[in-house]
Amino acid sequence: MSTGEPPAADAGASGDDGRRGRRERALGARDGASTWQPVAPTTETLEVLRQRLPLSIRLIGRSSVPGALLVLAIAAVFIGIVPLAAKLQLNASQATGEVIPVGNAFELTVANDWSVESQDGRATVLASGSSRLVIVPAYRDSRSVTQVVAAEISTVDADGTGSWVVGEPTTFETDRGDQGATVSASSETNATQVWAVSHEGLTTVAVLSTTIESWTSAQPLVQDMVDSIEFADGQGGDGDAGATP
């Protein structure tokens, strides 16, 4: 039975032609135009879309496995190679293996991974990571090296900011045969060790300050540097070798 209404305009349409016609009429009704016309994207639109693309696609212009590999390669350079190169350059600029004077009376050899941080008439400071070694120029001291290190470590033992455990002084000889003594102390987080070396009436003191974590790696190298101390000939007796600290 007929309703008397005209058939829909797309009643006979089917498939893609029917869907295309409905889409065009809907867009025309919404925009007030009878026919939809595609509009090319502007330069600004393309730039916004480009910035939203993955980094690998922006770098090489297309999405691909080589693009992803390129990104990984760049990341590997910045994560691994650059820091390694920086460390090698830093080590190259350090004074490792160099013989340096301390005051006018003696010199020593800088150990591996240690460098000269500062040097003036009062002290030479060597550094390696969180560790510092302060060495004073030689001065006249009538006390034994054991007495010197005991007096130096007493200032640490009297420090009220930490609970220090102080060891007993021990004696040693440098590579040149000079007499030395050393004593160490440690707290919950830090460690220190004092060395004193005597040569013909002159004495020098070296003090290591470091963390508990760095102690085992720093201490043997500092001992090597102290062992390498070599006094100049004729610096003993009544000559003026340095000021008393």
Side-chain angles (χ1 to χ4, degrees):
M1 180 177 179
S2 175
T3 60
E5 295 180 359
D10 59 349
S14 62
D16 293 340
D17 292 338
R19 286 192 294 270
R20 187 181 302 111
R22 289 193 297 271
R23 184 168 63 251
E24 291 176 355
R25 287 195 298 276
L27 290 172
R30 184 181 63 184
D31 300 334
S34 59
T35 304
W36 174 78
Q37 295 292 332
V39 179
T42 63
T43 303
E44 291 78 6
T45 303
L46 291 175
E47 179 62 21
V48 171
L49 292 175
R50 191 189 73 82
Q51 294 299 330
R52 293 178 179 175
L53 292 175
L55 176 61
S56 59
I57 299 177
R58 297 204 304 269
L59 287 175
I60 66 172
R62 60 190 177 88
S63 178
S64 64
V65 173
L69 295 177
L70 177 60
V71 174
L72 291 176
I74 294 174
V77 168
F78 281 97
I79 294 175
I81 299 177
V82 171
L84 177 60
K87 185 177 187 299
L88 292 176
Q89 183 177 6
L90 176 62
N91 288 342
S93 65
Q94 291 179 343
T96 296
E98 179 182 347
V99 178
I100 62 170
V102 179
N104 298 322
F106 69 92
E107 59 188 18
L108 59 80
T109 302
V110 180
N112 186 39
D113 289 333
W114 285 77
S115 62
V116 179
E117 185 175 86
S118 64
Q119 195 169 29
D120 54 31
R122 296 175 300 174
T124 294
V125 181
L126 303 178
S128 177
S130 60
S131 304
R132 295 292 182 274
L133 178 67
V134 180
I135 313 165
V136 300
Y139 60 95
R140 306 188 192 291
D141 199 321
S142 60
R143 296 174 298 175
S144 68
V145 287
T146 302
Q147 292 172 326
V148 172
V149 295
E152 293 291 337
I153 205 69
S154 65
T155 60
V156 174
D157 193 21
D159 182 11
T161 60
S163 178
W164 290 89
V165 177
V166 180
E168 293 294 328
T170 59
T171 59
F172 65 94
E173 283 190 1
T174 67
D175 295 339
R176 302 290 292 183
D178 292 318
Q179 293 299 309
T182 183
V183 61
S184 60
S186 61
S187 66
E188 294 85 350
T189 57
N190 298 313
T192 186
Q193 186 164 348
V194 179
W195 288 263
V197 176
S198 178
H199 174 81
E200 297 181 355
L202 298 177
T203 298
T204 182
V205 173
V207 181
L208 168 65
S209 300
T210 186
T211 61
I212 292 295
E213 293 78 11
S214 301
W215 172 258
T216 55
S217 59
Q219 195 277 342
L221 295 177
V222 174
Q223 183 66 61
D224 289 343
M225 288 190 281
V226 174
D227 286 338
S228 73
I229 288 177
E230 181 176 353
F231 283 84
D233 293 335
Q235 290 296 333
D238 296 330
D240 186 11
T244 302

